[in-house]
């Protein structure tokens, strides 16, 4: 009588409003404070790097999907996120052509070759950063003092991590390190800006605190007890280590990348702890003052194994859902 | 502190009709009674075209114990016994009765004089003869559940009603508290349990208060406040929340010393014993944004969905989806000719059927389905196993335990319709598992 008037589909008939592009948009919003702060203290050069990276990522994704005759995926906004993350992990003075090549590497080699969104096994932005570190070591490790970007003659300066590693040079005050008035990559210097993004992501339920907290706590505990702190107090040294380098940015935005981390709750904690241990080992014993990118990438590679080992015990296997 | 289980998710509950008292609707001209409404042995019609039937008269039954008869809700003439659409969209044998509007009742509807004089077996037959089945939606004959293979410790009455929109059990608890408590007493005696719990979600504060007042002087029954969270009313999750016990894979509640009965079922047990009236009517919530005046109706069984919609003021605008049951586990209808059966707790009409499956969007491995699954499964892997037709992987990830609550599909940002794939593959995997375990012996 009235057939075919209604849509017939399988249950459930309601869904959350959350979508992939919505989540990516939330990540972009969460990155805004850090990006804006980077532009303020490092000047127009930082803005140019951010825009270049986003544009190159989008373009790479567009061209690649075109050539492969796949449906264009730039609408899911994940390429914008990759571009922003990469830019925030680059020094503000980086030559723009390098930023372009790095972006193309992130999208084409790391993400699309492996099947695109959801399939890559390394965080595209971090893998690209590591590639750039190897390819252009000096350009990637030359940092400038904040607030100098406005003049033509930016003064290059050692990062606090490098100072601590070398045991010579002057360290900024803890307050400056926390607020972000130190040399570093565009988005990593200001802890408050990163924390604003963190809280936003938590409120929007984009991420859970499992990985960032496990990461930061593990690193802090190891550094407190086993750090080579020279003549600094353990607490001061630990705080300085936490506030400098890419630790906060990495823990909040990079180590929480869905695709390259385990989907199991316990797996996430193990992943965070692993990142913390590796970062500590690299910073403490490695030849290089920074270890966040490499640590996360190494854990990315281990993520499938961790996931396999942490399949939750189901309700019926008892204990699995004991609350 | 409200009790709960691990996993699950609070979802917007849209209980538009929670405050609306139940309205009695008269019968319609034609009443449709699907012959088999329960899970169990199929029934045979006891009447044929042209027969006269009365209210409460048994019109379909089976020889077997695991079956629940169907009774007419009106008096009149059997017009036809023919295939008609049922709530899961299948045409099944249905007895059509033309209502003579006289509502003459069958003579044999008599209350039980002295319940304590009955043996357990006799009590079970009273329940069976009243056609009582799991009215929360499960549809399993209640007398079978009440005859567990071993002595149990607790009776749990399920008043969680965790599906959005539905308020039929809620209204039952508010409007018939005495009957429910008396019914709970009858069932406790039948099962020989000392303790009965009634679990109610915290969003039904008034029902909790009403029933608590009713059991003030009754130490055998306790009202338990449960956290408002889907699927709190699923049998295993309810047992977990109240007793802390996990029903192991492949076992039934009785194995952990529990029998769970829906609250409306308890009311019907009460009515069968005290009034002698079988299941001939029920409360149906008619709701959703497409309905002009959402309401709770008490209808004689067999009226159609379109009849109730009309009584609810019709549609505001043509809905895209009409669902029987809740929006999480209910069935989308292609017609409004579907009759109200014993388990029809709600009819929900939605203006917009929300987007579901997006074939181009890959799983982004966000892990939301994993942390929300109330059974502690990994729906992302189950979905993949189902799509790959990989029976080994499906069994390794415990596909058998999926209770088909739909939370994984609900929560997935990539809009993977995983429940659909998992549910379709489950029977195959279970068959293979059975074959595997028998050949392994
Ligand atoms: S439908 Fe099955 S797999 Fe999905 S959340 Fe519910 S129990 Fe878990
Ligand atoms: S919720 Fe969807 S996107 Fe997220 S892990 Fe599960 S299947 Fe993948």
């Amino acid at each position: 009588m009235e057939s075919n008037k209604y849509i017939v589909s399988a249950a459930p008939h309601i869904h959350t409003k959350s979508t992939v592009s919505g989540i990516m948009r939330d990540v972009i919003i969460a990155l805004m404070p850090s990006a804006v702060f980077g532009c303020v203290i490092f000047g127009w050069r930082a803005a140019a790097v951010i825009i270049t990276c986003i544009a190159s990522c989008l373009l790479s994704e567009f061209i690649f999907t075109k050539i492969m005759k796949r449906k264009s995926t730039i609408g899911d906004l994940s390429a914008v996120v990759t571009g922003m993350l990469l830019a925030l992990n680059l020094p503000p003075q980086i030559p723009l052509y390098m930023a372009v090549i790095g972006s193309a590497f992130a999208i084409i080699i790391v993400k699309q070759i492996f099947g695109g969104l959801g399939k890559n096994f390394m965080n595209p932005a971090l893998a690209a950063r590591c590639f750039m570190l190897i390819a252009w070591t000096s350009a990637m490790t030359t940092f400038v003092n904040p607030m100098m970007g406005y003049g033509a003659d930016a003064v290059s300066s050692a990062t606090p991590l490098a100072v601590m590693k070398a045991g010579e040079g002057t360290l900024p005050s803890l307050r400056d390190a926390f607020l972000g008035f130190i040399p570093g990559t565009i988005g990593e210097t200001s802890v408050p800006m990163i924390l604003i993004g963190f809280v936003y992501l938590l409120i929007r339920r984009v991420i859970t605190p499992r990985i960032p907290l496990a990461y930061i706590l593990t690193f802090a505990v190891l550094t407190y007890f086993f750090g080579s702190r020279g003549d600094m107090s353990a607490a001061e040294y630990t705080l300085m280590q936490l506030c400098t380098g890419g630790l906060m940015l990495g823990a909040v935005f990079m180590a929480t990348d869905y695709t390259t981390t385990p989907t199991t709750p316990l797996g996430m904690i193990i992943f965070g702890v692993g990142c913390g241990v590796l970062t500590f080992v690299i910073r403490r014993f490695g030849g290089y003052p920074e270890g966040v990118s490499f640590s996360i990438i190494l854990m990315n590679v281990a993520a499938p194994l961790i996931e396999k080992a942490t399949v939750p015990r189901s309700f019926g296997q008892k204990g699995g859902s004991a609350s | 502190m409200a009790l709960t289980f691990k996993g699950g998710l609070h979802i917007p509950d849209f209980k538009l009709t929670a405050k609306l008292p139940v309205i009695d609707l008269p019968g319609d001209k034609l009443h449709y009674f699907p012959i088999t409404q329960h899970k169990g042995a199929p029934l045979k019609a006891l009447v044929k075209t042209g027969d006269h039937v009365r209210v409460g008269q048994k019109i379909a039954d089976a020889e077997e114990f695991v079956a629940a008869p169907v009774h007419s809700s009106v008096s009149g003439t059997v017009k036809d016994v023919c295939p008609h659409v049922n709530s899961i969209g299948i045409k099944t044998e249905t007895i059509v009765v033309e209502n003579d509007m006289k509502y003459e009742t069958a003579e044999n509807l008599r209350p039980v004089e002295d319940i304590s004089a009955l043996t357990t077996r006799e009590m079970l037959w009273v329940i069976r003869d009243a056609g009582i089945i799991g009215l929360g939606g499960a549809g399993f004959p209640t007398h079978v559940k009440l005859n567990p293979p071993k002595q149990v410790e607790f009776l749990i009455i399920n008043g969680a009603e965790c599906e959005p929109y539905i308020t039929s059990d809620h209204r039952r608890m508010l409007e018939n508290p005495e009957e429910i408590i008396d019914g709970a007493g009858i069932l406790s005696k039948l099962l020989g349990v000392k303790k009965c719990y009634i679990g109610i979600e915290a969003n039904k504060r008034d029902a909790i208060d009403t029933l608590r007042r009713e059991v003030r002087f009754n130490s055998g029954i306790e009202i338990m406040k449960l956290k408002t969270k889907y699927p709190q009313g699923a049998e295993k999750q309810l047992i977990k929340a109240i007793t802390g016990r996990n029903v192991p894979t492949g076992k039934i509640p009785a194995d952990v010393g529990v029998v769970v009965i829906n609250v409306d079922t308890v009311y019907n047990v009460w009515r069968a014993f005290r009034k002698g009236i079988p299941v001939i009517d029920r409360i149906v919530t008619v709701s959703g944004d497409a309905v002009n005046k959402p309401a709770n109706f008490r209808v004689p069984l067999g009226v159609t969905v379109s009849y109730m919609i009309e009584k609810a003021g019709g549609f505001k605008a043509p809905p895209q989806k009409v669902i029987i049951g809740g929006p999480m586990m209910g069935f989308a209808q292609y017609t409004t000719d579907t009759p109200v059966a014993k388990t029809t707790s709600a009819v929900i009409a939605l203006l917009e059927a929300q987007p579901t499956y997006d074939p181009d969007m890959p799983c982004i491995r966000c892990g939301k389905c994993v942390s929300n699954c109330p059974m502690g499964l990994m729906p992302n892997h189950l979905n993949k196993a189902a799509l790959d037709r990989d029976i080994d992987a499906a069994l390794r990830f415990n596909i058998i335990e999926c209770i088909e609550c739909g939370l994984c599909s609900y929560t997935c940002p990539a809009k993977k319709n995983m429940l659909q794939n998992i549910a379709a593959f489950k029977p195959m995997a279970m068959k293979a598992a059975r074959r595997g375990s028998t050949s392994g012996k």
Side-chain angles (χ1 to χ4, degrees):
Chain A
M1 201 172 17
E2 308 177 90
S3 22
N4 297 331
K5 239 173 64 181
Y6 309 119
I7 296 176
V8 177
S9 60
H13 307 288
I14 51 174
H15 298 264
T16 47
K17 296 250 174 346
S18 138
T19 58
V20 172
S21 55
I23 287 174
M24 296 300 166
R25 198 185 52 230
D26 275 339
V27 176
I28 294 169
I29 293 172
L31 283 168
M32 281 320 274
S34 301
V36 169
F37 185 84
C39 295
V40 169
I41 61 163
F42 296 118
W44 66 272
R45 204 59 188 62
V49 173
I50 295 174
I51 291 167
T52 306
C53 284
I54 294 176
S56 325
C57 280
L58 278 172
L59 200 66
S60 308
E61 177 132 321
F62 181 75
I63 293 173
F64 188 87
T65 47
K66 202 101 252 155
I67 293 173
M68 299 304 288
K69 301 205 166 49
R70 291 192 201 146
K71 205 176 145 216
S72 173
T73 50
I74 56 175
D76 65 29
L77 298 182
S78 64
V80 177
V81 171
T82 301
M84 270 184 102
L85 284 176
L86 178 60
L88 297 189
N89 273 292
L90 296 178
Q93 299 303 112
I94 188 93
L96 292 184
Y97 78 90
M98 292 183 187
V100 173
I101 296 175
S103 303
F105 182 88
I107 295 294
I108 294 173
I109 310 285
V110 192
K111 181 178 168 193
Q112 290 295 351
I113 295 264
F114 289 98
L117 182 63
K119 308 267 176 23
N120 50 291
F121 67 95
M122 278 194 250
N123 185 320
L126 283 185
R129 186 192 185 198
C130 292
F131 156 78
M132 292 170 77
L133 263 172
I134 294 162
W136 303 294
T137 311
S138 95
M140 286 293 288
T141 50
T142 307
F143 294 97
V144 294
N145 266 329
M147 298 310 202
M148 294 299 171
Y150 295 103
D153 48 347
V155 182
S156 57
S157 170
T159 62
L161 276 182
V163 171
M164 281 188 274
K165 184 98 198 165
E168 54 186 41
T170 42
L171 272 177
S173 71
L174 202 47
R175 184 175 158 277
D176 277 354
F178 177 73
L179 293 179
F181 299 105
I182 51 170
T185 70
I186 296 172
E188 74 183 13
T189 63
S190 172
V191 179
M193 296 300 144
I194 295 167
L195 289 183
I196 292 173
F198 184 40
V199 170
Y200 179 78
L201 290 180
L202 289 180
I203 292 173
R204 302 284 300 164
R205 292 180 191 254
V206 172
I207 59 170
T208 64
R210 292 185 193 108
I211 293 176
L213 289 192
Y215 189 167
I216 294 168
L217 283 178
T218 305
F219 177 79
V221 167
L222 289 174
T223 306
Y224 187 89
F225 289 107
F226 307 110
S228 79
R229 53 196 164 87
D231 49 7
M232 293 168 83
S233 79
E236 199 188 346
Y237 178 76
T238 306
L239 286 175
M240 191 57 101
Q241 282 278 344
L242 285 176
C243 292
T244 56
L247 183 76
M248 286 290 168
L249 187 70
V252 172
F253 290 102
M254 322 293 267
T256 54
D257 172 46
Y258 289 154
T259 306
T260 53
T261 55
T263 58
T264 56
L266 179 61
M268 292 182 192
I269 291 173
I270 293 176
F271 183 91
V273 170
C275 287
V277 171
L278 283 176
T279 306
F280 168 75
V281 168
I282 296 176
R283 280 194 185 179
R284 173 75 174 77
F285 304 107
Y288 184 67
E290 177 59 303
V292 171
S293 303
F294 287 115
S295 312
I296 297 176
I297 283 204
L298 280 172
M299 292 307 292
N300 284 164
V301 175
L305 279 176
I306 299 176
E307 176 158 315
K308 221 180 215 155
T310 55
V311 170
R313 287 178 72 195
S314 72
F315 187 94
Q317 291 166 322
K318 207 155 190 177
S321 285
S323 44
Chain B
M1 241 279 294
L3 303 163
T4 193
F5 59 96
K6 193 175 156 194
L9 187 69
H10 177 73
I11 57 185
D13 60 11
F14 297 109
K15 304 276 193 189
L16 314 175
T17 50
K19 297 262 176 288
L20 304 177
V22 174
I23 299 169
D24 263 308
L25 285 191
D28 198 3
K29 279 191 239 26
L30 290 180
H31 281 242
Y32 299 84
F33 303 96
I35 290 180
T36 302
Q37 304 192 4
H38 64 278
K39 293 204 182 84
L43 304 188
K44 276 197 247 352
L46 303 177
V47 292
K48 55 185 189 309
T49 311
D51 284 0
H52 182 75
V53 296
R54 291 160 173 253
V55 176
Q57 179 180 334
K58 209 184 272 179
I59 52 174
D61 202 351
E63 309 268 302
E64 287 87 348
F65 183 67
V66 187
V70 173
H71 305 78
S72 178
S73 62
V74 294
S75 61
T77 321
V78 176
K79 197 164 164 263
D80 207 351
V81 180
C82 61
H84 186 84
V85 65
N86 71 0
S87 54
I88 56 170
I90 297 169
K91 296 218 159 154
T92 65
E93 275 307 281
T94 301
I95 299 169
V96 187
V97 175
E98 191 163 4
N99 188 356
D100 62 11
M101 304 290 169
K102 292 187 191 134
Y103 298 96
E104 307 158 344
T105 47
E107 304 90 37
N108 58 349
L109 304 185
R110 247 172 270 113
V112 177
E113 303 278 322
D114 180 9
I115 295 177
S116 55
L118 297 185
T119 63
T120 303
R121 196 76 192 166
E122 282 165 340
M123 287 179 83
L124 293 176
W125 272 96
V126 170
I127 294 169
R128 184 195 180 282
D129 271 341
I132 300 174
I133 60 177
L135 297 174
F140 194 70
T142 300
H143 60 282
V144 181
K145 258 187 155 182
L146 291 170
N147 189 24
K150 54 178 120 166
Q151 176 61 39
V152 295
E153 228 178 307
F154 307 118
L155 165 65
I156 294 181
I157 295 176
N158 189 349
E161 206 168 53
C162 57
E163 276 259 17
Y165 293 99
I166 310 181
T167 56
S168 52
D169 285 352
H170 186 184
R171 292 314 304 181
R172 182 63 83 197
M173 291 187 280
L174 286 177
E175 300 185 21
N176 304 97
E178 285 169 50
E179 291 86 343
I180 290 168
I181 299 305
D182 190 22
I186 296 172
L187 289 179
S188 298
K189 175 185 175 296
L190 168 53
L191 285 169
V193 297
K194 298 214 165 44
K195 192 83 197 176
C196 164
Y197 295 106
I198 305 184
I200 306 173
E201 272 193 350
N203 62 353
K204 291 175 267 292
R205 187 71 258 177
D206 47 357
I208 295 175
D209 292 343
T210 307
L211 285 174
R212 281 210 174 133
R213 223 169 296 131
E214 208 57 49
V215 296
R216 257 169 321 173
F217 306 114
N218 186 338
S219 63
I221 303 178
E222 198 174 333
I223 313 300
M224 309 300 270
K225 184 167 89 176
L226 311 171
K227 196 165 165 191
T228 307
K229 184 167 87 174
Y230 185 83
Q232 187 66 73
E235 199 166 68
K236 289 175 180 170
Q237 278 62 30
L238 184 69
I239 295 170
K240 173 79 195 175
I242 291 182
T243 67
R245 299 176 187 178
N246 282 57
V247 181
T249 316
K251 294 286 163 78
I252 58 169
D255 291 313
V256 294
V258 179
V259 164
V260 179
I261 304 284
N262 164 270
V263 67
D264 194 29
T265 309
V266 174
Y267 171 82
N268 275 277
V269 166
W270 171 86
R271 200 166 63 165
F273 281 98
R274 301 291 189 204
K275 302 278 172 199
I277 301 175
V279 183
I280 50 169
D281 60 13
R282 72 156 298 137
I283 303 177
V284 181
T285 298
V286 178
S287 188
D289 55 4
V291 177
N292 261 323
K293 281 183 275 165
N296 297 302
F297 291 133
R298 178 171 16 248
V299 291
L301 296 183
V303 298
T304 59
V305 167
S306 53
Y307 173 77
M308 292 188 298
I309 298 276
E310 188 195 306
K311 298 288 178 190
F315 291 131
K316 272 185 214 154
Q320 284 191 349
K321 228 179 208 183
V322 176
I323 303 158
I324 285 192
M328 292 300 285
M329 295 182 75
F331 286 91
Q333 306 292 308
Y334 59 84
T335 164
T336 50
D337 295 341
T338 321
V340 171
K342 294 176 189 175
T343 54
T344 308
S345 51
V347 171
I348 319 270
L350 300 176
L351 284 177
E352 258 176 78
Q354 296 174 18
T356 50
Y357 183 51
D358 178 355
D360 294 318
M361 193 52 82
C363 162
I364 55 168
R365 298 179 38 83
C366 68
K368 288 186 203 296
C369 55
V370 180
S371 50
N372 287 335
C373 176
M375 294 307 290
L377 308 178
M378 294 190 75
N380 47 349
H381 286 290
L382 284 176
N383 188 45
K384 186 168 180 306
L387 291 175
D388 295 348
R389 315 233 141 247
D390 183 344
I391 290 181
D392 285 342
L395 293 175
R396 204 167 56 243
F397 285 106
N398 299 307
I399 194 169
I400 289 166
E401 281 196 61
C402 170
I403 56 169
E404 304 186 15
C405 69
L407 211 47
C408 45
S409 301
Y410 171 81
T411 195
C412 177
K415 308 291 171 220
K416 311 296 299 170
N417 224 349
M418 44 253 272
L419 168 57
Q420 191 176 359
N421 303 329
I422 296 171
F425 193 57
K426 196 164 105 177
M428 246 179 278
M430 287 175 79
K431 213 153 136 211
R434 266 197 300 275
R435 216 181 306 125
S437 63
T438 42
S439 66
K441 266 176 206 159

